[in-house]
Each structure stands twice: as structure tokens, then as C-alpha cells.
Amino acid sequence: MIGNEKTIEMLHAFYDSFTDNLIAVKDGEELEIGSKTSAVLHDTNGSLARTMMTLEKTTGVLFSGDAFEVSAHFNGGIFDDEVDVDFFW
């Protein structure tokens, strides 16, 4: 699993046997996975402390941390057609 230093600290605190394959990454660090290169971006203004995003540099696709965190607020739905948005209005 790839995460920032706080992610790694949290995983060590909660899971004893789950810590073998953890990689801590820093803001601005680049990761090469196959033919793709992603840049790690730490969002200091995110809704969660130490939110991490990745920018896939070939396509310019941004994977924001909030995309993963939002499902808890919307009963598991992450796309508009999976969420009863009328509830919020």
C-alpha cells in the first residue's frame, strides 16, 4: 500500500501483521507503474488532515483523496446516479 507518513503511522497503530508492504511517499514524489508516471500531491487544504492525491502525468487525470472519502457520506455511492441527492436539498 502506498500512503503518506501519517497513513503508514495509522496502519502500524491498527494492524500488526499488515505492515510488510507499505511505502511512504512524499509530496512531489513520482511513482512509475508500468508505462504510467504519477505525481504524489499532498493537499494541505483538504477535508482530512494529510489528504493525498495522485496526478497521472500522461493523461492529466487527478485522483483526489476526497473521491475515496466521500463514499462514507453518501451510503457507498460515488457517482451521481448512485446517490439520492434530493436528500441533501
Side-chain angles (χ1 to χ4, degrees):
M1 177 178 285
I2 298 170
N4 60 46
E5 66 181 43
K6 288 296 182 185
T7 302
I8 304 302
E9 288 176 19
M10 182 189 71
L11 290 170
H12 280 290
F14 287 103
Y15 303 102
D16 291 332
S17 61
F18 184 67
T19 59
D20 291 342
N21 296 310
L22 302 177
I23 300 170
V25 292
K26 297 179 180 175
D27 187 41
E29 190 171 341
E30 292 188 355
L31 303 170
E32 290 186 25
I33 302 171
S35 63
K36 305 290 184 185
T37 300
S38 294
V40 175
L41 306 169
H42 290 186
D43 179 9
T44 57
N45 295 314
S47 59
L48 298 173
R50 305 282 179 127
T51 296
M52 186 178 86
M53 302 178 289
T54 55
L55 174 66
E56 201 289 301
K57 295 178 78 172
T58 306
T59 61
V61 173
L62 177 69
F63 297 92
S64 71
D66 287 344
F68 302 104
E69 185 250 336
V70 75
S71 63
H73 300 291
F74 297 128
N75 294 327
I78 59 172
F79 300 105
D80 288 346
D81 64 346
E82 299 173 341
V83 177
D84 179 14
V85 293
D86 292 333
F87 171 79
F88 299 99
W89 304 107

